[in-house]
Amino acid sequence: MAKMNLLQAVNNALDLAMANDKRVVCFGEDIGKFGGVFRATSNLQDKYGRARCFNTPLTEQGIAGFAIGMAAQGHVPVAEMQFADYIFPAFDQIVNEAAKFRYRSGNQFNVAGLTIRTPYGGGIAGGLYHSQSPEAYFTQTPGLKVVVPSTPYQAKGLLLAAIRDPNPVIFFEPKRLYRAAVGEVPEDDFELPLGVAEVVKEGSDITLLAWGAQMEHLQAAAGMAEAEGISCEVIDLRTLLPWDVETVAKSVKKTGRLLITHEAPITGGFAGEIAATIQDHCFLYLESPIARVCGLDTPFPLVHEKEYMPDQYKIFEAIKNSIHY
């Protein structure tokens, strides 16, 4: 085991993937010699050459289209969108081309090797164009997988699994945690299963659910609640598409309560889909309405970032409201 931050874990996963499979190719804006704006691809061009780690023009639609073409021809492209906020020019290529490639050809062709990495989320004073959490836009797209790690251990294991998964995967990386999240990570090659949530902590009074950077706030709120005698079961969803309904429903049937938190605006956020599904599975077990603690329905505000973010204090108040309903 080695101590790594989340950024180093991503870099290590890419390094191992490229070393073990010559079909793996990394490309994106400034990711070559420069190593990317966050340095996630540092040293990969020096190690594997410019043919396997290279810069692209500033064209997200072009990056996605090029990646789809490479994957269709048997390569394993790992494309980087510099910020998730700028993935939208590539939206058509991802949801109408990559996601439907296998289906429309009757499984004669696919883009199974495609992975798109992108840093998402707030907490870095990035303002409205460098702080968004657009994961829910992609969860209504059959044919894609959507993955969001929260720790260095998860980042490495899930990214290696995503690169090798026989489906196109959108891999959202919580940039606020790139250097802030540090933990022990196996140096060897390993994978974590996609579509499987992790029960981080068992409890009996309420189920708390999040993914990515929100896990830090969620666990802090759980600690505050425990100090007041409230037993919290904490679940890290890890994969949003497909998401682990069974693990969450089993927990809610035990606790009778559910709180979901994410950075994205509350309206149309993935918490709404989870809430609808869980009330369908667990309606007779619920002791209080399913709670959502999410971002506001506004553009991401630079000067009011702290007011916008669903932090541990907002989550803690919602926990108490649910318990005392």
Side-chain angles (χ1 to χ4, degrees):
M1 303 284 274
K3 281 275 189 180
M4 296 184 192
N5 61 32
L6 197 142
L7 195 62
Q8 291 167 327
V10 168
N11 181 265
N12 186 230
L14 294 172
D15 189 3
L16 284 169
M18 296 180 79
N20 293 334
D21 188 346
K22 292 183 178 180
R23 299 175 303 156
V24 177
V25 179
C26 296
F27 51 88
E29 296 165 5
D30 302 318
I31 78 156
K33 192 72 174 177
F34 188 60
V37 68
F38 293 104
R39 306 299 188 270
T41 53
S42 292
N43 303 316
L44 296 181
Q45 188 177 89
D46 290 339
K47 192 169 183 178
Y48 298 103
R50 296 182 66 179
R52 295 186 61 200
C53 181
F54 53 89
N55 296 333
T56 66
L58 306 183
T59 168
E60 286 78 13
Q61 184 178 19
I63 293 169
F66 184 62
I68 290 166
M70 291 195 75
Q73 295 300 313
H75 292 277
V76 182
V78 183
E80 179 183 300
M81 301 290 170
Q82 196 169 81
F83 288 89
D85 310 64
Y86 297 118
I87 203 169
F88 298 113
F91 194 75
D92 177 63
Q93 288 290 324
I94 295 169
V95 303
N96 275 334
E97 304 298 337
K100 297 174 175 61
F101 214 91
R102 189 194 304 274
Y103 181 82
R104 76 182 188 201
S105 70
N107 203 30
Q108 295 183 68
F109 310 104
N110 64 70
V111 290
L114 174 62
T115 302
I116 295 176
R117 299 177 38 254
T118 187
Y120 85 96
I124 64 164
L128 69 167
Y129 286 124
H130 297 84
S131 304
Q132 297 176 75
S133 300
E135 65 271 16
Y137 285 98
F138 297 94
T139 56
Q140 203 183 15
T141 307
L144 294 179
K145 291 190 176 182
V146 178
V147 180
V148 192
S150 66
T151 67
Y153 178 79
Q154 287 185 16
K156 180 175 178 177
L158 291 173
L159 181 53
L160 283 168
I163 292 169
R164 295 161 183 166
D165 192 88
N167 298 278
V169 180
I170 313 296
F171 194 85
F172 288 98
E173 299 167 5
K175 59 181 177 285
R176 181 171 64 82
L177 301 184
Y178 266 155
R179 292 178 174 85
V182 179
E184 290 192 338
V185 181
E187 295 183 87
D188 294 337
D189 193 316
F190 75 98
E191 298 178 24
L192 294 174
L194 305 186
V196 178
E198 177 186 359
V199 180
V200 177
K201 176 186 171 298
E202 293 189 355
S204 58
D205 294 330
I206 186 170
T207 299
L208 308 180
L209 179 65
W211 51 88
Q214 275 303 104
M215 285 302 300
E216 185 178 50
H217 293 308
L218 193 71
Q219 289 174 288
M224 296 167 70
E226 295 282 349
E228 297 201 4
I230 301 170
S231 176
C232 301
E233 182 139 305
V234 178
I235 299 179
D236 187 339
L237 197 56
R238 302 199 305 194
T239 303
L240 275 64
L241 187 65
W243 69 281
D244 189 351
V245 178
E246 182 179 352
T247 294
V248 179
K250 180 181 177 181
S251 175
V252 173
K253 286 177 181 178
K254 178 175 69 172
T255 66
R257 298 176 177 86
L258 174 63
L259 181 150
I260 313 153
T261 179
H262 58 62
E263 282 186 34
I266 189 168
T267 300
F270 197 61
E273 173 61 29
I274 295 171
T277 301
I278 293 302
Q279 71 85 26
D280 191 39
H281 283 72
C282 307
F283 183 74
L284 296 178
Y285 295 85
L286 291 171
E287 300 289 345
S288 65
I290 295 172
R292 293 180 291 165
V293 182
C294 307
L296 306 178
D297 288 337
T298 69
F300 199 99
L302 176 60
V303 295
H304 296 298
E305 183 173 59
K306 288 185 178 180
E307 287 77 11
Y308 176 94
M309 294 289 281
D311 62 16
Q312 61 262 40
Y313 303 106
K314 294 178 183 178
I315 297 169
F316 178 50
E317 290 302 316
I319 290 171
K320 291 190 292 184
N321 290 338
S322 179
I323 291 295
H324 300 301
Y325 177 77

